[in-house]
Amino acid sequence: MRYMPEPFKIKMVEPIKMTTREERKAFIRDAHYNAFSLSAEDVYIDLQTDSGTGSMSDSQWGAMMRGDESYSGGRSYYRLIEAGKEIFGYDYIQPVHQGRAAEKILFPLIVTPGQYVISNMFFDTTRAHVGLAGGRAIDCVCPEGLDSGAYFDFKGNMDVPRLKSLIAEHGAENIAAIVMTITNNSVGGQPVSMANMRETAAVAKEHGILVVIDAARYAENAFFIKEREAEFADATPIEITREMFSHGDVFTMSAKKDALVNMGGLLAVRENGPLVDAIKTRVISFEGYLTYGGLAGRDLEAMTTGLYEGLDHDYLTYRIGQMQYLAARLTADGIPFQNPVGGHAVFVDAGKLLPHIPYDQFPGQALTVELYIEAGIRGCDIGSYMMDRDPETGEQQRAPFEFTRLAIPRRVYTQAHLDVVADALKAIKDRADGITGYQITWEPKVLRHFTSHLKPVD
Ligand SMILES: *Cc1c(COP(=O)(O)O)cnc(C)c1O
């Protein structure tokens, strides 16, 4: 249970407010028991997401001063393109304002309504954009990924035998794309092996199906490959990254994760061709001119520097080490979680911790509320509450698992903060029997978990 010391020192601090349990009970009630509706000021340790919540380095802040704010052809744009080509090896690299902007631009260009898109597991916005383009999203993660108690090195992998049978069942011409999410966010930030990426790409090639990499956590995935796949033990994270991306045709990326910026994204195509021309037209309509893509020149500078910092081996050792430290503390206290821990978060198995709460009373959301009341910690449900209703029948869909995700922002919290989290979970475990489920009192039609209202079940 060793904590990996930080490979940095702290140059600027942001005070956080301390609150009482009584105050927190009122805050979460006023937020309709939806943690997204809390004021961030009233949160002590914010583990809602690792997206855009990291600390930038002094090099990134320094680079921002050199941002070229020209409308077209700015120096900062060329610096980003050069880095993108070096790291990913793609012909066309397009900055966009965040990951879902890349999805919005791409999916209508590659999906014909009625077609299927198959992924090792869709992230919620990616699933939504497939649906908005008229496509049908199918999750196809390996069976180990859905068994939170079982150890497996690469729980994020595509289930390749099932992928083959889905292609045989629906016909390759009815499959618009295969989306490889690295790391596999929805099953716990679990890595995908290089062997699995090679195999999936070979199946896609055999059937002429496009491979899209959903690449938010490319660096964490590369680190796991280095640690766990013997062939890559001596390779650098950049070398591993280059091979990973060689197994895709297109990638969408939220740069708010491993690229260590607060806002930004990329959309890239391996080989120049008609898709690139179509992308350019949509980028100009939705994001802005090609050489800034919805970002300021200074944002492009921060992203370029962040792309390299995110791949630094010492940084990645510390980063994954934080997850492993928290996981070891939970193991010691008998708290169930997606094991082994993934790259950006601990996914506590709320279904197992609160077995008396049925899926349609949202155990992951119940634990999220309880963590806030216990210690001002904000997590996020990744379970049935996060699933939208079945678009055809309106029925509550059942997620294959009920997690509360505790996502760790990059370079933000210390060992003592992680200890507060572990202590809070232990306290909740000791009074688990008295915790009730939740029901929805108001919800929008899509992506409901962001804005729904809930109340405790009587
Ligand atoms: C965050 C994320 C996205 C969406 O990116 P945003 O920057 O939040 O729009 C897409 N896919 C995955 C796997 C993600 O983690």
Side-chain angles (χ1 to χ4, degrees), residues 83-382:
K85 287 189 174 177
E86 187 196 358
I87 295 169
F88 306 113
Y90 278 35
D91 282 353
Y92 186 72
I93 310 260
Q94 175 63 57
V96 292
H97 85 275
Q98 64 181 101
R100 70 198 68 185
E103 295 161 3
K104 177 184 176 186
I105 289 160
L106 178 68
F107 282 107
L109 294 174
I110 61 173
V111 176
T112 304
Q115 279 186 318
Y116 294 92
V117 183
I118 304 171
S119 176
N120 56 334
M121 186 73 87
F122 285 96
F123 178 68
D124 53 355
T125 62
T126 319
R127 188 189 309 279
H129 278 291
V130 167
L132 288 167
R136 288 182 274 186
I138 302 178
D139 291 323
C140 187
V141 70
C142 64
E144 294 88 344
L146 300 178
D147 182 356
S148 75
Y151 188 97
F152 186 59
D153 276 342
F154 292 102
K155 282 184 155 181
N157 279 355
M158 181 76 80
D159 181 345
V160 177
R162 180 158 175 249
L163 172 67
K164 287 180 184 165
S165 64
L166 285 168
I167 295 171
E169 183 187 336
H170 297 296
E173 69 284 3
N174 294 316
I175 305 205
I178 292 170
V179 174
M180 191 56 119
T181 311
I182 58 169
T183 57
N184 190 331
N185 185 350
S186 306
V187 292
Q190 294 292 321
V192 176
S193 72
M194 194 73 87
N196 189 255
M197 293 193 78
R198 287 173 182 161
E199 227 186 313
T200 302
V203 172
K205 194 165 180 199
E206 184 192 330
H207 295 282
I209 302 171
L210 192 77
V211 176
V212 177
I213 299 180
D214 184 357
R217 298 179 184 81
Y218 63 99
E220 290 168 6
N221 204 79
F223 181 82
F224 283 116
I225 286 175
K226 182 173 167 64
E227 295 281 297
R228 296 179 186 173
E229 246 175 320
E231 180 188 342
F232 295 95
D234 299 322
T236 65
I238 289 198
E239 287 163 349
I240 296 169
T241 298
R242 212 170 293 137
E243 181 180 334
M244 289 189 313
F245 283 81
S246 76
H247 300 306
D249 302 301
V250 181
F251 76 76
T252 57
M253 179 191 289
S254 171
K256 301 169 67 171
K257 285 84 171 219
D258 281 0
L260 292 166
V261 288
N262 302 117
M263 189 54 68
L266 293 174
L267 171 57
V269 184
R270 189 152 52 81
E271 287 176 10
N272 274 320
L275 181 60
V276 170
D277 299 328
I279 283 173
K280 286 179 178 172
T281 308
R282 285 176 65 81
V283 167
I284 295 173
S285 313
F286 292 125
E287 289 288 279
Y289 188 65
L290 305 175
T291 63
Y292 70 87
L295 296 169
R298 56 180 169 270
D299 299 330
L300 302 178
E301 290 286 342
M303 196 198 305
T304 304
T305 301
L307 284 170
Y308 287 108
E309 287 185 5
L311 284 163
D312 179 83
H313 189 252
D314 291 338
Y315 156 74
L316 285 167
T317 305
Y318 142 79
R319 164 81 181 148
I320 305 300
Q322 272 202 325
M323 305 305 139
Q324 291 171 344
Y325 172 78
L326 182 54
R329 285 229 36 200
L330 300 194
T331 301
D333 286 335
I335 311 278
F337 62 93
Q338 173 66 299
N339 180 44
V341 70
H344 68 287
V346 175
F347 282 58
V348 180
D349 194 330
K352 282 190 187 156
L353 191 67
L354 306 172
H356 57 288
I357 301 181
Y359 77 94
D360 57 358
Q361 293 179 14
F362 315 128
Q365 182 64 13
L367 181 57
T368 301
V369 170
E370 231 39 56
L371 271 165
Y372 178 69
I373 293 171
E374 181 67 33
I377 298 159
R378 177 156 68 169
C380 176
D381 171 275
I382 305 275

